[in-house]
Amino acid sequence: MKRVLITGAAGFLGSHLCDRFIKEGYHVIGMDNLITGDLRNIEQLFVLKEFKFYNHDVSKFVHVPEQLDYILHFASPASPIDYLKIPIQTLKVGSLGTHNLLGLAKSQGARILVASTSEVYGDPTVHPQNEDYWGNVNPIGPRGVYDEAKRFQEAITMAYHTYHGVETRIVRIFNTYGPRMRLNDGRVLPSFIGQALRGEDLTIFGDGSQTRSFCYVDDLVEGIYRLLLSDYAYPLNVGNPDEITIAEFAEEIIKLTGTNQKVVYKALPVDDPKQRQPDITRAKSILGWEPKINRAEGLRITYDYFRSLSKDRLYEEAHHKDFGQYRN
Ligand code: UDP
């Protein structure tokens, strides 16, 4: 049985990756320090002997006694409101955390895949974004802590590949949605659905003309799985190119949920990208992959998930509210 270490295991993407690798017959070691992750996302795995969990901050030296075949580095705050609350932790997990995990991969002879992001393209001046575009990032803006950590992550990952010969993979993830997103994480889909379920108005930031392209989580996981097993070491976009404005997206959520609430407009956050759409030509040809689940279907599944949560969770404040201890 092959063994994989997944960091950020209790998070949205990490937990789905844990499920997938268990399903594929791997031993899975999950690691998370739970500042934005939630153990409820992986509670179904704790009964399995193929699953093990370590509560650890990967920004500090990482040691596991087990021999690893693969490492997936998915630990990171991933929503703009998190970057504002825990900016230094965000920088550290993308930089120091990545360094630690590359060191672990090197010492164990394991292959490592790191989670990069469409945010490396910043507020893009090229549309759609292909992997050869270098991006338009403000290093000192509120998103800079995430964007630059991820850009550093790509740089050090390539350096470990070329200098140390470590087997590395880099996935550039575009907006992804699905069950287990945090209702209060501030991102557009859980915000809109949470607002609809609580009977609040839907908040559009700016005039709603900015675009995003949303990928259903199972499609993303399939792309990541294929990339890990491929021999492609350069950054690869994985996302769904079906682009939509945020105003249209709000309309879709209103229809889906049947809410009578209206839309209200709020200030656009600083450096909010105006448009975003992945060019997935390369993923198609290298992985033979493309997304299969359209937005109507993905939104339906996601809405059913949020509806199935207890009422308390709809009103739950961020369970990771005590950020104080992480201000280092
Ligand atoms: N957004 C919005 N209302 C909300 C939350 C987000 O209009 O309640 C907008 C946000 O300004 C951005 C888009 O939706 O233009 C996607 O935001 P999100 O935080 O989900 O992710 P991003 O792609 O910006 O990282």
Side-chain angles (χ1 to χ4, degrees):
M1 253 183 164
K2 298 224 173 201
R3 205 175 277 115
V4 57
L5 170 68
I6 300 178
T7 75
F12 166 48
L13 297 182
S15 67
H16 283 280
L17 286 164
C18 288
D19 284 345
R20 175 66 189 261
F21 279 84
I22 288 284
K23 216 171 105 191
E24 298 288 344
Y26 289 73
H27 269 291
V28 174
I29 300 169
M31 189 173 278
D32 205 302
N33 68 347
L34 303 176
I35 50 169
T36 58
D38 188 335
L39 282 182
R40 290 175 294 196
N41 290 334
I42 46 172
E43 61 191 0
Q44 72 286 0
L45 300 177
F46 278 86
V47 295
L48 305 176
K49 63 176 188 336
E50 298 80 17
F51 182 75
K52 192 166 190 178
F53 179 77
Y54 293 117
N55 184 332
H56 180 69
D57 176 358
V58 298
S59 303
K60 310 212 162 77
F61 185 79
V62 182
H63 168 75
V64 290
E66 294 86 1
Q67 177 63 43
L68 302 171
D69 299 287
Y70 300 115
I71 298 171
L72 299 178
H73 181 27
F74 277 72
S76 179
S79 121
I81 58 168
D82 291 335
Y83 318 151
L84 295 174
K85 288 183 191 156
I86 38 173
I88 296 165
Q89 202 68 14
T90 303
L91 277 158
K92 284 170 74 176
V93 74
S95 54
L96 309 182
T98 302
H99 186 214
N100 288 334
L101 292 160
L102 285 163
L104 182 65
K106 175 168 161 265
S107 75
Q108 290 235 13
R111 180 181 297 176
I112 177 168
L113 181 148
V114 298
S116 187
T117 167
S118 57
E119 282 283 325
V120 299
Y121 303 124
D123 189 2
T125 54
V126 164
H127 195 74
Q129 294 79 56
N130 65 44
E131 290 86 348
D132 298 330
Y133 177 50
W134 291 352
N136 177 34
V137 170
N138 173 6
I140 57 163
R143 287 172 179 260
V145 295
Y146 183 68
D147 302 4
E148 294 297 5
K150 292 292 189 180
R151 288 167 68 95
F152 173 86
Q153 177 187 60
E154 290 197 2
I156 193 170
T157 299
M158 282 315 294
Y160 265 69
H161 176 69
T162 49
Y163 186 70
H164 286 311
V166 173
E167 284 192 40
T168 56
R169 306 286 179 265
I170 301 173
V171 58
R172 288 188 182 149
I173 299 169
F174 284 67
N175 292 67
T176 304
Y177 69 98
R180 302 184 189 155
M181 291 187 92
R182 235 168 59 215
L183 253 179
N184 54 20
D185 88 348
R187 279 184 291 183
V188 66
L189 179 134
S191 295
F192 284 173
I193 292 187
Q195 287 159 346
L197 289 172
R198 289 187 300 267
E200 299 166 2
D201 293 336
L202 273 61
T203 51
I204 289 185
F205 298 164
D207 64 5
S209 64
Q210 71 272 33
T211 69
R212 293 294 184 273
S213 307
F214 297 98
C215 183
Y216 186 67
V217 62
D218 289 358
D219 281 331
L220 182 87
V221 165
E222 178 64 29
I224 290 168
Y225 188 73
R226 290 189 191 198
L227 174 59
L228 178 70
L229 300 184
S230 78
D231 57 8
Y232 191 72
Y234 293 95
L236 195 68
N237 288 343
V238 177
N240 188 326
D242 187 2
E243 185 182 11
I244 185 174
T245 68
I246 294 303
E248 288 163 341
F249 190 60
E251 283 309 315
E252 288 191 358
I253 301 290
I254 288 170
K255 275 213 191 84
L256 174 74
T257 59
T259 177
N260 299 320
Q261 301 301 132
K262 57 181 192 311
V263 157
V264 293
Y265 293 87
K266 296 214 165 162
L268 190 68
V270 176
D271 297 336
D272 197 286
K274 283 180 275 308
Q275 51 182 2
R276 189 184 280 157
Q277 183 189 35
D279 179 335
I280 57 165
T281 312
R282 209 165 286 177
K284 278 184 181 162
S285 75
I286 289 169
L287 308 179
W289 170 90
E290 63 183 322
K292 295 235 160 12
I293 299 165
N294 66 31
R295 207 167 45 247
E297 189 184 350
L299 286 181
R300 167 58 56 191
I301 303 168
T302 309
Y303 179 48
D304 287 345
Y305 164 77
F306 282 125
R307 261 200 308 192
S308 75
L309 297 177
S310 69
K311 199 127 190 114
D312 301 350
R313 281 185 75 172
L314 272 184
Y315 293 91
E316 200 170 66
E317 283 295 308
H319 59 270
H320 55 274
K321 221 160 63 182
D322 182 17
F323 284 121
Q325 60 179 307
Y326 296 105
R327 291 229 173 85
N328 54 343

